[in-house]
Amino acid sequence: MSSLDIPQVNFSGLDLSKVGTEEWLLARGQVMKALETHGFFSVVFNKVPDETLDALFGPLADDLFSLPLETKMLTTSDKFYQGYIPKRPGSNFESLNIDMVDASPLDSIQRFVSLMWPHGNPTFRGMMWSFAREALELEMMVRRMVVEGLGVEKHFDESMVKSTVQSVRMFDYGAPSDQEKMMAMGSHQDMNIMTFIYQHHSDGLELQDKSGRWFRSSPNSFSIMIGESFEAWSNGRLKATPHRVKMGSNNETRRSIGFGSAFKDECKIHAPEDLVTEDHPLLYKPYHYDAYVQFRFSDAAKGSACPLKAYCGVLRGDEMVA
C-alpha cells in the first residue's frame, strides 16, 4: 500500500489552548474516524524545527550511538524493554530510552545527558528538549481527543494525566539480519497507551489495519499507534496496532525516534464504568502495567496469539471474549 493511504490529520496551529474550538473538533473527528476505520493515522505537525530534526537524526545520533557499550549500558533497566536495548542475534538495531519521570521533563533529559556525557553536552540537551517539548504536547492533544471522542473526558485528568508517564526512545538500525525478507523488526503490538514514531528522511515503518493490510508510513511525519493498555482502558473500542520495520535495501541504515506514554506501575488499568455497558460488556480484568510487561516477556506468553487476552481477558462460559 502507498503511504498516501495512511489517514493524515493536520495538527498545524493546534495546541491545548484550542480545546473545544471548531478546529479542535474537526481534528478530533478525523482522529476518531481514522482509528475506527484503520486503527492508526499520521499527523502533519510542523512545530519541531528542521534544524532540530537534522541534528537529532544526524550528528547527535552519531555521537550517541558511537559511545562505548559500557556507557550506553548505564541506562540499562531491570525492567523489560526499558533503558538501553543492545543489538542481539537476529535483531540488528539498538535503542536508548529517556524516561520522563522527573518533576520536569527537562530534568529527565539532563539526567540522561549526565550519564552519557559526564562533562556535559548542552547541544544534545537543547535539541532533545526542543523535540520532546513539542512531542509531549502533541501526544497529550491526541490522547485528549481520543478520550473526548469516546465520551469519557471526565476521566481524562485522573486516568490520562496523573496516572501516566512518557518516554522518548531513539533507534538506530543497521542492515537487517534477514536479507531475504529485509525484516528489521517483526510484527508486534506495543504494551503502552500510545506510541508516536517519527522517521526523518527514511521509511521502513509498516502498520497493519483492521483488515490485515500493511501500510508503509511516510518519512518526515509522526505515525500514531494505539497500545494494548489503551485497548484495555477503552474496553476494546480501540485496538492495539500491529506494526513492524521492513527495510528497503541491505545497504540502508535507518533511524527513528519513538515517543510513548504508559500507565504508572502503581496504577491499575481498568475501563471507566461509562465504557462498560450491556452492548459492550467488560473485556479485560483490571491489571497493573509492570506485571503485564513481565508476563509478556515470560515463557507463559510465548506462542499466545493475544497475550493481553491470555493475561487478563474476561471468560464468559467456555469462551474468552475480546
Side-chain angles (χ1 to χ4, degrees), residues 28-41:
R28 189 184 77 186
Q30 294 171 341
V31 165
M32 295 307 295
K33 182 178 179 181
L35 291 177
E36 290 164 1
T37 56
H38 289 80
F40 52 82
F41 61 98

Side-chain angles (χ1 to χ4, degrees), residues 155-175:
H155 297 284
F156 180 73
D157 286 340
E158 191 64 35
S159 290
M160 287 292 161
V161 178
K162 297 177 182 177
S163 301
T164 61
V165 292
Q166 287 77 41
S167 64
V168 179
R169 181 173 288 278
M170 298 183 71
F171 293 86
D172 183 79
Y173 291 80

Side-chain angles (χ1 to χ4, degrees), residues 148-287:
E148 288 180 2
L150 292 172
V152 288
E153 56 266 33
K154 67 182 181 181
H155 297 284
F156 180 73
D157 286 340
E158 191 64 35
S159 290
M160 287 292 161
V161 178
K162 297 177 182 177
S163 301
T164 61
V165 292
Q166 287 77 41
S167 64
V168 179
R169 181 173 288 278
M170 298 183 71
F171 293 86
D172 183 79
Y173 291 80
S177 303
D178 187 339
Q179 291 290 298
E180 182 178 349
K181 295 182 179 179
M182 300 303 293
M183 198 68 65
M185 182 184 289
S187 175
H188 64 285
Q189 296 163 312
D190 290 345
M191 297 166 283
N192 61 1
I193 298 171
M194 302 180 78
T195 299
F196 292 43
I197 298 292
Y198 189 89
Q199 304 177 126
H200 191 53
H201 301 324
S202 65
D203 56 11
L205 177 65
E206 296 186 340
L207 304 96
Q208 189 177 43
D209 73 357
K210 294 182 178 182
S211 67
R213 299 174 298 171
W214 286 98
F215 292 71
R216 196 165 181 86
S217 180
S218 60
N220 308 320
S221 65
F222 284 93
S223 297
I224 317 300
M225 295 168 284
I226 298 298
E228 291 176 312
S229 295
F230 220 173
E231 178 172 336
W233 189 89
S234 69
N235 198 30
R237 286 168 170 80
L238 305 173
K239 296 296 182 183
T241 310
H243 55 285
R244 65 190 183 189
V245 176
K246 192 173 184 181
M247 307 285 274
S249 71
N250 56 11
N251 295 319
E252 181 182 5
T253 59
R254 175 182 183 270
R255 282 174 176 157
S256 64
I257 298 181
F259 188 90
S261 55
F263 287 103
K264 295 177 180 178
D265 290 346
E266 66 270 20
C267 298
K268 187 168 285 188
I269 302 169
H270 63 89
E273 59 183 17
D274 316 60
L275 296 179
V276 181
T277 65
E278 185 175 346
D279 292 333
H280 293 276
L282 185 67
L283 299 181
Y284 300 104
K285 293 175 284 188
Y287 69 97

